[in-house]
Amino acid sequence: MAAEVLPLAQLKLPSGPSPVTSEQRYWRSFKNQKSHTSTASWPISHISFPAATGATLSNSLVAATKLNDLFAVTSGPRVDIFSIRKRELLKTIGRFDGEAHCGEIRADGRVLVAGEDSGRMQVFDVGGGTRAVILKTWHIHKQPVWVTKWSPTELTTLMSASDDKTVRLWDLPSNNPSRVFTGHSDYVRCGAFMPGLNSNLLVSGSYDETVRVWDARAPGGAVMTFKHADPVEEVLPLASGTTLLAAAGSAISVLDLVAAKPLRLITNHQKTVTSLSLASNGRRVVSGSLDGHVKVFETADWNVVAASKYPSPILSLSVVAAGAAQEDRHLAVGMQSGVLSLRTRLAGAAAEKARDRAAVEAARDVGTETLEKLDAQKAKRKRAAVTNKAMDLLGEGVDVIIPTDAPGGRSRRVKLRPWQRNFRQGRYTAALDDVVDMSSPEYQPVTALTLLVALRHRSALREALEGRDENTVLPLLRWTSKYIADPRYLSVCVDMGFHLLDLYSEHVGGSAELAVQFQQLLGKVSKEVEKAQMAIQTNGMVESLMFGVV
Amino acid sequence: MDVNGDTASLKRKREPKDDTPSSLKKHRRRSKLPEDSGAGESASAQDDQQPSNSALQQINGGLEPPDASSQPPDGAARERLASWKVSKPMGGRMLDIDPIFSSDERYLIVTYNTSIQVYSTEDSLLVRRIALPVTRTDDATELVATHIVSAVLSKCDTDYLWVACSDGRIWHINWTSGAGAGNPFRIEAKKVLDVAVDVMEIGGQSDDVLLVLKRLTKSSAQIVAYNVKALSTKSGKLLHTYDESPQLLRSAAEGRLIVAAAKETVHIGLLKVRKLSSLDDLAYRFHCFNVPDLVTSLDIRHTLRAAKKGGFDLQSVDLAVGCARGAIYVYHDLLPKLPGEACGPSRAGLIQPKKYHWHRRAAHAVKWSQDGNYLISGGCETVLVLWQVETGRLDFLPHLSAAIENIVVSPRGASYAVHLDDNSTMILSTAEMRPTMYVSGIQSLVLGDRPSKESLVRRVWRPVEEIVAPLVAAANPRNPSQMVLCVGNGQQASLGGGSTSTPFLQVFDVASFHGITKHAIARTNPTDANVTSDGVPIVEPTVTKLSFSQDGKWLASVDEWQPPERDADALLTGSKTSAEVCRERREIYLKFWEVGAEDQSFQLVTRVNDAHHTGRTETILDLASDPTSSRFATIGNDGMVRFWSPRLRKRDGLAATGPDGQPLRSWTCSRTVSLPTHEQQDDPVDIPTENTARSGAITFSEDGSVLFAAFGPPSAADVVAIDTETGTIRDVVSGMFKGEIRAIRSLSSSLVMLSEDLVVYDIVSDEVLYNYSLKETSEDAKHLTQLAVNYESRSVALVAPVPNLNQGKMKRGARSELVVLNIEEDEPQLVQTFSHLITSVCAAPLSSGFIVVDSAAQILSITEGAEQAPLLQPLADLGVDGSDASGREALLLEGDASDEEMEDADQDVEMEHDDDTHAAVVAPQRLAEVFSAAPAFAMPPIEDIFYQVAGLFSTKPAKA
C-alpha cells in the first residue's frame, strides 16, 4: 500500500561490448605462474593426468585424492612426474633409448606407460623410490610409437599408435597385441579411447589426413573415416561419447559420430593446432597451437570465450582437474622452448585465505586505521558466527522458532546514501557536491550522471548550480570538462556547461582559476569539434563513393 | 443518419460516384486504375435510398438519457441494428463526496459521477450499481452541466439514501433494493451546492429534514429546509440567506446545529425552538465568524447532555476546519464563544482557533476520530496524517498511491474509509493501518465536475481542463477480460503542469471490474514531493503507444518526455526557440516488457533509447503488432519503418539464462525500411523541411505478410505496402489521406484509413469501397477521433467527438459518437451518441465486439448479436447477492434474541458473519464455457459437467 522510499535508481547506460566477461575473469584467475624448464630445454611434447574413474579404486577418499595427485609431463627422452597439489617435480623416468612419447599414468595412479622413438613401449612403476622400475616392455612396433593410452574402463587394456601406420590394442599380461587395426596410410600420431560405455571404440588421427574410428568388437578395418585437408595432429572425444574434435592443420573440426558428419570447422588459430584438452567438467575445450595462443571454446556453439598468449609455440597442454568435484586446478602448457608453464586457480578455502591475505596487505599499505577497521570487522564476523552456532544448538531443543520479522513484513529498509537523502529532501546543491567529488572513495561517474539527469527531470539543475563560490564551482567545471567528450555524458554536460557559463562567466575576470577551468573546457570542446568535423568529412567522402555504387 | 447516411459527426460523401477516376484521388505508381468502379457505386446508390428516420431521432432527438439507452431503435433499420447492442456503462469516477458506511459497516456506499455503487466491505465486491441519469439533454446540442453534489444516508431509515443533483433533483433511493432512482423530487433552485440531512421530530413524528444550500447569485446563497412532504410540494422553509459564496453545509446533533462554510467565514445556526409541530416552525439563530483562510473541509464533533425539561441539549461543539493553504483550525467548545441569544443574527468576528499546520497544500479532508482525541487529515501530499489533538503529535501513513480526497470514520470508529484521487477507495483498520477493503476503478483522466480544492488558491500553474489525447489502452489477448490502460498518479497529479503525465500502466479486469495492479512503466517519483522549488508540478513521462504481441506474452510501449520550456532559458543559442531546445532534449523510449503468465507482472526486457532518430530523437508515430508472430513494427518521424523481433540474449556467445534456467530474450531491430520520400519533391515549394508536421501510421495485414505504412506531410501522404519477409516495397498508393493521418487498419483485403475522411480501400481490386468524410471539427477533436477493427466480426468502430461550434476544446460537456461499420456492408451497423467523450476504443479480444472507455471513466461494451458482454454484473443483478438472505436471517435472529437466547443468537450472528462469503461469483461466460464446450453429441458425461458446474459455484475454503 504505502510505497517504500527507494533510492534513486542508477541510470542504465547503453551497454557497450563488455570489456571483461565472466568467462575471461575465470580464465584469468589461473594465476601464480610457475615455469619449469626441462633438462636441456627439450620440448614438452605431452602432458597428461589420470582421468577420474567412475569405479572406486580405493575405499578411502584420502587415498583416492592421493592417487589422483600425479600428472606426467613428457619431454625429450624423459617423463617427469609432478604432484598436482604441490606443483613439484616428484620423480623423473629417464630409461628411454630415444625420444619418449605420450607418458600416461593409469587411472589408479600406480603405473605409467610411454612409447619411444625406437618403437619400444614400456610400463613403469610410479610409486616407491626415485628409480623407476620397468614392469613390462613390448617391442612389437618397428617404428616410433606416438600414442600409448590406458583404457578408461579396464585397467589392463591399453592402446598404441605408431608411425608404422597401425593402431594396436594391448592386454597388460600378454606379450602380443590383442588386436591390430590397419587402414591408415601414413604415420598415426594421435589416438584415444572413446569415453564412457563406448570404450571399445577407438579413434585415431593420422598424417594421411584422416580420422578413423575403430571398433574392437567388429572385425576388419575402420568403422568410420573422416577425411581432412591437413595431417591430423590431435583427436579429442568429448564426454558425451558422440562428438569428436580433431585438430588438422590450423583448423579444428567438430565431428558427429551419430550422424557421421562434420558439424563445424573452427578456424580461430593461425598455425597448426597441436593439442586439445577438456576443461570445466567437459563444458569447455582448450586448444593450443604453434602460434603460441591458447584458446578456450564453449561446447555449444564453439565460440571463443577466452584466450591467452604464450611466448613460444605450444606443443602440449592440459587443464589439470582435481578434487572431488573435478574442478579445474592447473592450466599446464608445454612449449617448444622446453618451458612448462603451470598456472593455478585457487579454490575454496585456499582462495579465501589468499583473499584475506591480500586484504590485509592492502589495508597495511593504506594505514593502521584501515587495518584496525578490518580487524574489527573480522572480530564481528567471528562473534556472529559463534552466536549463530549457539542459536543453532538452542534451536534443537525448541519446537517453534518465532521470527522477529512480522510474517510478510517488509524487509529492512534500504538505507539512503547522504547524497540520495539530500536529493530527496531538496538540498540539490549538497547532493551535487557529493557526487562530483572525484577524490571521494565512493566516486563513480555514473552516479554523478544519474543525479544530474534526475535533476534535469525535476527542473532543478539550475537550482543545484546556482549560488556557489569559487571553491564549489571549480569541481563542477572540472567534472564537466572531463566527461564532455563521452557521448553518453554529452547531453548533460552540455546543459551544465550552458548553465555554468550563464551563471559564472561574469566572475571569470576576478578569478584566475575559474578562467583556467573555462579555458580547459573550451579546449576540450574545440578538440571534439575538430573530431566531429573530420568525421563529417570522412562521411562525405564515403557517401560520394557510395553514390556512384547505388 | 439521414438519407445521405449523415450522423452527427460523419457526413456521407457520395462516393464513389460516376466521377472520373481522377477525382477519386488515386494515383498508383505501378498498377493502372481499373475503369470500373461500378460495384461500389451501385451499392452506395442503393443505401442512399434507404430511409432510416427513426434512427435519426434516436441520435439527434436525445429524448432519453443516453446512459441508459441501449434498446434498439424501431423502424426499418431495426433488424440490422438490433444485432449490435451497447451494454450498460460500468464503473465511473468516484466523486469528491464522503463515502458512506452502512450502519452495520457491512457495506460501503460510494458515490460515482453517474451512479451510486454499493460494495461489500468484507470482500470488496460490487453488490449493487444504481445508475442515476445525472446528465440530461435539454435539447439536442446543449448539455446542462449537472452533477451529484451530495449523497447522505437517511437518518430515520438507514436503508435509504438522499442524493442531490446540482440542478435541484433529489433522489430518495433505497440502496438495498435500488428502488427510487427513477423519479426524483425536484426543487426550484438555480444550483444546489450542498445538502445535509438530519432527523427531527416534527409534530411528534421523526422525519428526515433536508437542509439544502442553494445558490441565489454568484455570491449569495440560502439554506432551505425540506421534509418529504415539502419536497413533493416544492415548498421549503427558508432558514437563512447569506452573501459570501458558500460551499459546504453540515448539520449535527439531530438538526440542533448547522454549520455552513463560505470562503473565509463560517456560519453557525443553532435551533431556536425545541418543539416542532410543522416544518414551518423550524428556525435557527445564525452567527458567523471569520476563519483565517479559505475553508476546504470541516467536521463537527458534539456532545449532548440531558436537558432539565427532558430531551437533550447541546453540551459542547468542537469544530475542525481544513483550509486551502494547508492549515487546520480547531475551535474547541465553540458554543460559549458565540455571542449570546440576545444579539440576534450577528457577526462574532474572529474567534481564536488552535492551528495545526503540516499540509503543504489544501487539507482535502479533516475528520474527528470517534473519541475526539485525534484528527485525521489528508491532502495532495498523499499522506494520511493523524493528529493527537491535545499534544499536536503527528503520526503518518505516508506515500499512498494518490492524493487523499475524503476520509470517513466508520460508525464504530474501528476503520477509516479513504477515497483517493486515483479513483479508488479503501478501508483501513485503525489498529494496524492495513487496508481491509480496496475498490479501484479505471484511473483514466476524466473531465471533472467540480474544480479541485487545490484551485481555491492561485498557483503558478494551471490545471489542464481538457482531454487532448486519447487514452492509450490495449486489451490483453491472453486474458480477454483484462485491459491495460495508461494512467497517471491520480487525476490531479496527471493534470498539473501544463501537460498530462501518464507513467503508469493499470491492469484492469473488466469481468470482475476492479483494478488488478498498477505498474510504473516510465519514470515516476512516488515518494518524492512532485513539485519543483518554484511550486510547479513535475511532469512525468507520457506513454503514447501500447501494444501487445499476438500471443500476449510481450508488451511494447512508447513513452515520451521533454523538459518544460521554462527550463530552457539558459540553453538558448543562436536563433533557436525554447521549444526547439526542449525538443532536442526529448527522451523517447521504446520498451519491451515480458508479461508474466499468472501474476500479471511486467518485466522490462529491452529499452531502446533512440528507436527513431535523425540528428535528434524523433517521435515514434505508431506501433503495430504482427497478428501472426511475436513481432512489432514502429514508424518514426524520420521516415523509417523498423521491425522489432525477439532473439535469444547472448553473453560471450553463450545463451544467457534466467534464474530458473529459462533462456532470456532481448528485442532487436531486425529490419529497417526507409520509406520513399514524397514523389513531388521536385516541386520547389513543397520540400518538406525539418519542421513540417508529418504524420504516420502503420498496420500489419491480417496474415502478417504485408505491412502497410502511411507516412507524409498532411494531404501528401502515401501508403506503402512492405513485404515483411524481404522488406521490399511492393506497392505505393497515394492521395488517400486528407489532412493528418489518424490511423490505418487492415481488414482482409481492405485498408481502413482515417484522416479527415474515413476511407475503405480494397487493395486487391484497387477501388475505394467507401468514403466518409468527417464533419468539420476543431483540431483537438481530431485528435480524439479513433478507429478500431475487430477481425472476428469483420467490423470497424469509429469514434469521433460530436462537433460543437461553441467549444473547440474537449472540455466537459463534449459528446462522442460511435459508428460501427461492417466491412461487407455499406450501411453503418450501429450509430450511437454518447453523453460523454469517448477517450478510447479497442476491439475486445476473442469476441466480436468492442470495448469503449469514456471521459467519465466508464467502460461500455459493444457486442454483436446474442453475445454476452464481458462486463461485470453486480452481485444483485446476478441474483447471488447475499444481502437479502442474510438481511432476512438477521431479522429472524433479532426476533429470536428478543425471545430468550440472547447469547446464542449473538454467537449465531458471529458465525453467520464468519462464513458468509458471497458464495462464488460466476460470470455467465464461465457457465457458457462449460455447457458449450462441444456440440451436444460430443459432450462429456453428465457427471463431469455436474462437477464442473459444482466447482464453479462452490467456494474455495478460506486459506488458513
Side-chain angles (χ1 to χ4, degrees):
Chain A
M1 186 186 50
E4 198 183 348
V5 177
L6 292 174
L8 191 65
Q10 195 176 65
L11 214 63
K12 246 188 142 177
L13 295 172
S15 60
S18 167
V20 181
T21 66
S22 59
E23 198 71 26
Q24 282 171 331
R25 217 172 301 127
Y26 177 83
W27 289 103
R28 268 187 212 166
S29 69
F30 285 83
K31 280 189 279 206
N32 302 333
Q33 175 157 355
K34 184 175 181 185
S35 297
H36 179 271
T37 313
S38 60
T39 323
S41 297
W42 287 308
I44 314 283
S45 62
H46 189 77
I47 304 168
S48 80
F49 70 103
T53 49
T56 28
L57 300 164
S58 166
N59 291 332
S60 84
L61 192 73
V62 180
T65 49
K66 204 173 176 190
L67 290 174
N68 281 333
D69 189 38
L70 303 175
F71 69 98
V73 175
T74 313
S75 58
R78 299 260 166 100
V79 175
D80 297 332
I81 295 170
F82 284 78
S83 159
I84 293 177
R85 269 181 299 161
K86 296 179 190 153
R87 304 202 297 176
E88 277 170 6
L89 180 64
L90 294 180
K91 187 173 194 171
T92 301
I93 301 168
R95 302 179 67 178
F96 297 100
D97 291 344
E99 202 153 308
H101 297 293
C102 201
E104 286 265 346
I105 300 172
R106 198 167 69 173
D108 64 355
R110 288 168 194 232
V111 291
L112 178 141
V113 67
E116 60 181 282
D117 266 356
S118 63
R120 196 167 56 168
M121 289 163 63
Q122 286 169 309
V123 177
F124 301 94
D125 185 7
V126 172
T130 45
R131 183 159 174 80
V133 179
I134 300 172
L135 298 178
K136 182 93 185 171
T137 306
W138 292 288
H139 205 149
I140 307 285
H141 285 296
K142 296 298 174 220
Q143 298 271 332
V145 176
W146 282 85
V147 177
T148 50
K149 284 208 173 145
W150 297 98
S151 158
T153 47
E154 282 165 68
L155 288 178
T156 55
T157 310
L158 64 155
M159 69 170 284
S160 68
S162 157
D163 278 357
D164 64 5
K165 305 169 191 170
T166 61
V167 175
R168 287 167 206 248
L169 201 58
W170 306 83
D171 199 23
L172 197 54
S174 60
N175 285 328
N176 285 311
S178 53
R179 187 74 199 271
V180 180
F181 301 105
T182 49
H184 279 299
S185 53
D186 207 335
Y187 305 152
V188 186
R189 287 283 168 92
C190 55
F193 280 100
M194 292 303 287
L197 300 171
N198 297 336
S199 65
N200 37 27
L201 283 181
L202 278 70
V203 194
S204 63
S206 150
Y207 273 29
D208 65 358
E209 301 168 358
T210 60
V211 169
R212 282 171 204 261
V213 182
W214 317 92
D215 192 344
R217 296 161 299 185
V223 290
M224 212 178 279
T225 307
F226 295 95
K227 177 86 174 106
H228 288 79
D230 287 298
V232 179
E233 291 285 353
E234 177 71 311
V235 288
L236 178 75
L238 293 194
S240 65
T242 57
T243 316
L244 190 67
L245 295 185
S250 61
I252 304 166
S253 60
V254 184
L255 312 170
D256 187 352
L257 293 187
V258 176
K261 64 173 187 190
L263 291 178
R264 221 195 130 112
L265 201 64
I266 308 168
T267 54
N268 291 70
H269 281 289
Q270 303 303 315
K271 288 187 182 170
T272 305
V273 179
T274 51
S275 61
L276 297 168
S277 167
L278 288 176
S280 306
N281 289 323
R283 285 179 293 112
R284 299 284 179 274
V285 167
V286 183
S287 68
S289 148
L290 291 182
D291 57 9
H293 282 279
V294 168
K295 301 203 181 207
V296 184
F297 300 89
E298 46 90 14
T299 51
D301 278 333
W302 303 104
N303 293 303
V304 177
V305 292
S308 54
K309 172 87 168 87
Y310 283 82
S312 170
I314 292 162
L315 295 183
S316 58
L317 66 79
S318 176
V319 178
V320 179
Q326 287 292 301
E327 287 172 352
D328 297 343
R329 189 59 56 82
H330 304 293
L331 174 62
V333 176
M335 283 167 276
Q336 175 76 52
S337 59
V339 176
L340 170 72
S341 148
L342 275 177
R343 290 183 184 178
T344 308
R345 177 167 198 273
L346 295 176
E352 208 162 281
K353 228 177 257 171
R355 252 200 311 277
D356 273 358
R357 208 164 36 232
V360 170
E361 289 282 314
R364 192 173 292 145
D365 290 348
V366 173
T368 44
E369 267 175 51
T370 356
L371 200 61
E372 274 162 21
K373 211 191 244 170
L374 196 73
D375 283 345
Q377 249 174 25
K378 255 189 212 161
K380 192 177 169 190
R381 218 173 295 152
K382 213 172 195 173
R383 274 200 304 278
V386 169
T387 330
N388 278 348
K389 213 171 188 179
M391 287 298 278
D392 284 352
L393 289 174
L394 196 71
E396 284 169 3
V398 182
D399 290 331
V400 180
I401 297 176
I402 298 156
T404 43
D405 285 356
R410 51 189 164 178
S411 49
R412 255 172 59 185
R413 266 172 74 176
V414 188
K415 207 167 170 211
L416 298 184
R417 294 179 176 287
W419 73 264
Q420 287 164 340
R421 207 170 314 121
N422 281 334
F423 171 70
R424 215 178 95 69
Q425 292 166 356
R427 292 191 293 270
Y428 300 127
T429 313
L432 186 60
D433 282 343
D434 261 9
V435 292
V436 296
D437 180 10
M438 282 191 264
S439 60
S440 141
E442 284 172 7
Y443 170 74
Q444 271 184 326
V446 72
T447 312
L449 183 67
T450 305
L451 178 70
L452 284 166
V453 169
L455 286 175
R456 182 202 266 177
H457 286 156
R458 307 193 60 109
S459 309
L461 187 57
R462 192 172 179 90
E463 195 188 329
L465 298 174
E466 262 168 356
R468 288 161 177 274
D469 58 11
E470 193 187 51
N471 289 336
T472 47
V473 169
L474 287 176
L476 295 176
L477 266 173
R478 238 172 267 139
W479 192 89
T480 311
S481 39
K482 179 165 182 192
Y483 290 101
I484 201 162
D486 190 327
R488 297 173 301 176
Y489 291 70
L490 176 68
S491 166
V492 152
C493 283
V494 165
D495 280 14
M496 228 162 110
F498 271 123
H499 281 299
L500 287 174
L501 275 173
D502 193 39
L503 288 167
Y504 300 107
S505 52
E506 52 184 312
H507 303 296
V508 168
S511 160
E513 285 172 49
L514 203 59
V516 168
Q517 280 302 326
F518 273 118
Q519 274 297 335
Q520 266 184 14
L521 184 61
L522 176 68
K524 196 95 180 216
V525 171
S526 5
K527 213 179 275 172
E528 288 302 309
V529 168
E530 225 166 84
K531 274 187 206 165
Q533 271 171 349
M534 279 162 69
I536 289 169
Q537 281 170 5
T538 318
N539 185 34
M541 287 189 278
V542 174
E543 246 175 20
S544 64
L545 285 174
M546 293 301 287
F547 198 70
V549 177
V550 177
Chain B
M1 199 173 10
D2 61 11
V3 279
N4 278 335
D6 265 24
T7 74
S9 62
L10 284 186
K11 169 162 84 190
R12 185 78 198 251
K13 261 195 206 164
R14 297 165 65 86
E15 232 182 297
K17 264 288 177 193
D18 41 1
D19 301 328
T20 52
S22 63
S23 76
L24 290 177
K25 295 193 291 182
K26 288 198 292 176
H27 306 289
R28 315 231 21 187
R29 219 164 50 179
R30 268 174 267 160
S31 56
K32 280 270 174 279
L33 180 82
E35 287 304 306
D36 60 323
S37 51
E41 182 190 333
S42 63
S44 71
Q46 233 173 32
D47 70 57
D48 279 351
Q49 290 150 10
Q50 288 217 350
S52 48
N53 306 328
S54 53
L56 175 74
Q57 204 183 24
Q58 162 73 16
I59 296 143
N60 290 339
L63 294 170
E64 301 159 2
D67 276 346
S69 72
S70 59
Q71 62 267 70
D74 49 354
R78 177 193 266 170
E79 281 80 14
R80 212 176 36 243
L81 294 190
S83 65
W84 283 88
K85 60 177 192 284
V86 178
S87 76
K88 277 199 238 170
M90 278 302 296
R93 175 86 192 172
M94 295 173 191
L95 290 182
D96 182 10
I97 293 171
D98 286 350
I100 303 164
F101 276 101
S102 70
S103 53
D104 57 356
E105 293 191 17
R106 288 188 59 201
Y107 299 102
L108 187 75
I109 304 162
V110 183
T111 315
Y112 280 74
N113 49 4
T114 56
S115 63
I116 304 287
Q117 300 192 6
V118 183
Y119 289 94
S120 156
T121 54
E122 276 160 31
D123 42 21
S124 312
L125 289 180
L126 175 63
V127 177
R128 184 167 291 104
R129 182 181 199 273
I130 306 165
L132 296 174
V134 173
T135 42
R136 291 181 308 158
T137 38
D138 282 4
D139 56 74
T141 53
E142 197 62 38
L143 258 170
V144 181
T146 57
H147 55 90
I148 297 173
V149 293
S150 176
V152 193
L153 205 62
S154 163
K155 292 278 162 50
C156 65
D157 186 352
T158 51
D159 282 352
Y160 281 88
L161 201 66
W162 291 98
V163 179
C165 187
S166 62
D167 63 347
R169 282 175 298 167
I170 293 175
W171 287 274
H172 192 222
I173 296 170
N174 184 338
W175 59 264
T176 55
S177 66
N183 42 345
F185 297 107
R186 189 176 290 272
I187 56 171
E188 288 304 321
K190 207 173 195 179
K191 191 173 181 194
V192 174
L193 294 167
D194 205 352
V195 170
V197 174
D198 237 319
V199 64
M200 287 189 195
E201 209 153 289
I202 296 175
Q205 199 177 358
S206 54
D207 198 1
D208 273 340
V209 172
L210 273 74
L211 303 163
V212 180
L213 183 66
K214 293 181 189 172
R215 168 179 283 179
L216 283 180
T217 63
K218 185 98 177 128
S219 65
S220 69
Q222 53 185 204
I223 302 171
V224 183
Y226 293 90
N227 61 2
V228 177
K229 211 197 297 171
L231 278 174
S232 41
T233 58
K234 298 188 184 180
S235 58
K237 163 83 165 109
L238 178 68
L239 296 178
H240 185 52
T241 309
Y242 57 137
D243 293 338
E244 296 90 351
S245 41
Q247 320 142 306
L248 286 168
L249 183 68
R250 295 282 182 276
S251 71
E254 298 182 343
R256 288 181 183 87
L257 182 75
I258 308 176
V259 180
K263 281 205 168 160
E264 294 182 349
T265 51
V266 170
H267 294 247
I268 291 192
L270 292 165
L271 190 63
K272 268 183 186 166
V273 282
R274 212 171 287 279
K275 277 267 189 300
L276 297 169
S277 56
S278 73
L279 188 68
D280 292 336
D281 294 346
L282 201 62
Y284 284 84
R285 192 178 68 247
F286 273 91
H287 304 281
C288 78
F289 59 88
N290 287 346
V291 181
D293 199 356
L294 297 165
V295 178
T296 54
S297 56
L298 59 84
D299 195 33
I300 313 163
R301 193 183 124 73
H302 62 85
T303 48
L304 293 174
R305 67 173 163 220
K308 286 162 200 153
K309 301 168 219 162
F312 293 91
D313 260 345
L314 273 178
Q315 187 183 21
S316 69
V317 171
D318 298 336
L319 187 66
V321 179
C323 292
R325 291 182 179 84
I328 297 169
Y329 296 99
V330 174
Y331 297 87
H332 282 290
D333 201 11
L334 192 61
L335 291 179
K337 292 172 189 164
L338 295 173
E341 259 178 68
C343 305
S346 66
R347 182 168 275 268
L350 189 73
I351 298 173
Q352 203 55 45
K354 216 169 156 185
K355 182 179 179 184
Y356 296 85
H357 201 157
W358 179 87
H359 289 283
R360 241 179 251 131
R361 274 146 68 180
H364 286 192
V366 177
K367 280 284 175 337
W368 289 100
S369 72
Q370 189 82 352
D371 58 1
N373 290 334
Y374 288 90
L375 271 175
I376 305 122
S377 69
C380 63
E381 297 85 6
T382 75
V383 179
L384 190 73
V385 187
L386 303 162
W387 306 80
Q388 202 172 15
V389 181
E390 293 297 318
T391 60
R393 223 182 80 98
L394 290 173
D395 223 341
F396 302 109
L397 181 65
H399 311 314
L400 298 177
S401 54
I404 295 168
E405 288 286 297
N406 301 101
I407 302 168
V408 173
V409 182
S410 76
R412 287 180 204 146
S415 50
Y416 305 138
V418 180
H419 165 217
L420 301 177
D421 186 40
D422 62 355
N423 206 11
S424 67
T425 297
M426 61 170 99
I427 295 181
L428 298 167
S429 71
T430 51
E432 53 207 343
M433 281 295 166
R434 282 182 190 280
T436 57
M437 172 215 165
Y438 184 68
V439 180
S440 160
I442 293 179
Q443 301 177 356
S444 66
L445 293 182
V446 300
L447 296 169
D449 291 318
R450 286 199 280 190
S452 156
K453 286 164 182 166
E454 296 294 322
S455 55
L456 289 171
V457 182
R458 251 192 96 233
R459 309 271 177 204
V460 289
W461 49 277
R462 296 184 59 78
V464 185
E465 278 167 356
E466 70 217 281
I467 291 182
V468 285
L471 168 69
V472 182
N476 187 345
R478 197 150 40 144
N479 192 343
S481 70
Q482 278 182 357
M483 274 185 94
V484 292
L485 311 128
C486 294
V487 298
N489 210 340
Q491 171 90 358
Q492 289 161 18
S494 23
L495 284 183
S499 64
T500 55
S501 47
T502 56
F504 286 99
L505 193 69
Q506 187 190 16
V507 181
F508 193 83
D509 195 306
V510 180
S512 63
F513 221 82
H514 65 269
I516 296 172
T517 48
K518 203 160 115 175
H519 292 274
I521 58 169
R523 169 172 49 83
T524 58
N525 326 309
T527 58
D528 292 356
N530 253 359
V531 279
T532 64
S533 46
D534 303 337
V536 184
I538 292 166
V539 175
E540 288 170 343
T542 310
V543 178
T544 56
K545 297 281 180 291
L546 202 61
S547 180
F548 274 104
S549 72
Q550 131 275 343
D551 54 0
K553 286 181 183 158
W554 302 97
L555 178 76
S557 73
V558 177
D559 58 279
E560 286 187 16
W561 180 83
Q562 69 175 43
E565 286 186 20
R566 57 174 188 271
D567 290 353
D569 296 343
L571 309 175
L572 296 176
T573 49
S575 60
K576 276 183 190 168
T577 64
S578 49
E580 278 171 37
V581 166
C582 292
R583 215 173 303 133
E584 277 172 12
R585 286 164 176 74
R586 190 156 47 175
E587 293 174 8
I588 298 172
Y589 296 130
L590 173 65
K591 289 174 181 164
F592 295 95
W593 306 81
E594 189 168 11
V595 184
E598 294 98 24
D599 52 348
Q600 281 302 320
S601 63
F602 292 89
Q603 203 176 10
L604 181 62
V605 173
T606 304
R607 186 191 78 190
V608 185
N609 279 10
D610 301 325
H612 291 271
H613 59 94
T614 49
R616 58 171 191 230
T617 311
E618 291 286 355
T619 328
I620 296 174
L621 296 170
D622 201 4
L623 170 71
S625 145
D626 188 335
T628 53
S629 65
S630 287
R631 180 164 56 170
F632 291 102
T634 56
I635 183 167
N637 200 24
D638 56 349
M640 298 279 203
V641 171
R642 287 178 193 273
F643 291 87
W644 305 89
S645 45
R647 68 162 190 211
L648 282 173
R649 197 188 297 176
K650 288 202 170 168
R651 195 184 298 137
D652 321 332
L654 298 173
T657 52
D660 306 331
Q662 79 278 20
L664 295 178
R665 283 162 205 282
S666 58
W667 285 74
T668 47
C669 180
S670 56
R671 173 162 293 127
T672 307
V673 179
S674 177
L675 295 177
T677 45
H678 193 243
E679 277 179 355
Q680 293 149 14
Q681 211 178 21
D682 43 349
D683 186 359
V685 190
D686 202 32
I687 291 171
T689 58
E690 278 284 299
N691 294 325
T692 319
R694 288 181 288 184
S695 53
I698 45 172
T699 184
F700 278 95
S701 70
E702 246 180 290
D703 58 356
S705 63
V706 181
L707 180 91
F708 298 102
F711 181 72
S715 76
D718 296 338
V719 179
V720 179
I722 300 166
D723 189 317
T724 54
E725 288 304 313
T726 59
T728 52
I729 292 172
R730 287 291 170 83
D731 201 356
V732 178
V733 188
S734 54
M736 282 294 166
F737 290 98
K738 187 179 147 209
E740 197 183 333
I741 303 164
R742 299 293 320 146
I744 182 168
R745 292 285 182 277
S746 136
L747 190 60
S748 55
S749 67
S750 312
L751 272 182
V752 184
M753 290 168 276
L754 179 66
S755 53
E756 281 169 26
D757 295 352
L758 177 73
V759 180
V760 179
Y761 169 77
D762 193 309
I763 195 90
V764 176
S765 66
D766 186 22
E767 61 183 355
V768 174
L769 300 178
Y770 307 78
N771 195 342
Y772 283 100
S773 103
L774 272 63
K775 286 202 173 152
E776 283 296 314
T777 52
S778 64
E779 201 55 43
D780 286 313
K782 281 177 196 158
H783 285 286
L784 283 160
T785 308
Q786 291 177 76
L787 192 66
V789 158
N790 193 314
Y791 292 137
E792 216 147 290
S793 59
R794 328 295 308 158
S795 52
V796 180
L798 171 74
V799 163
V802 174
N804 187 344
L805 297 178
N806 308 331
Q807 196 178 358
K809 304 262 184 205
M810 291 296 107
K811 290 189 180 176
R812 179 167 164 71
R815 291 183 298 163
S816 268
E817 190 178 52
L818 174 97
V819 179
V820 177
L821 300 155
N822 193 303
I823 202 75
E824 271 104 37
E825 294 175 57
D826 286 351
E827 193 72 0
Q829 306 276 301
L830 174 83
V831 179
Q832 184 146 8
T833 313
F834 293 86
S835 56
H836 295 287
L837 191 67
I838 291 176
T839 53
S840 181
V841 58
C842 55
L846 309 180
S847 129
S848 56
F850 298 93
I851 293 177
V852 164
V853 183
D854 70 15
S855 69
Q858 300 181 110
I859 289 188
L860 296 103
S861 162
I862 291 138
T863 46
E864 187 187 28
E867 199 173 335
Q868 182 76 36
L871 291 182
L872 169 80
Q873 310 271 316
L875 293 176
D877 295 5
L878 291 178
V880 294
D881 169 23
S883 66
D884 292 345
S886 58
R888 218 180 306 123
E889 275 164 22
L891 278 176
L892 284 177
L893 287 165
E894 269 168 32
D896 283 352
S898 63
D899 279 338
E900 47 210 290
E901 311 156 335
M902 195 69 155
E903 300 236 313
D904 281 7
D906 273 345
Q907 275 171 11
D908 279 2
V909 172
E910 284 304 315
M911 284 168 63
E912 200 59 46
H913 277 274
D914 276 347
D915 53 15
D916 184 25
T917 50
H918 278 296
V921 185
V922 180
Q925 63 262 36
R926 289 286 166 77
L927 272 180
E929 274 169 26
V930 174
F931 286 111
S932 52
F937 57 85
M939 282 290 261
I942 193 79
E943 198 182 341
D944 288 3
I945 298 180
F946 171 76
Y947 283 123
Q948 281 177 12
V949 175
L952 279 180
F953 278 101
S954 61
T955 41
K956 291 174 188 72
K959 286 197 181 81

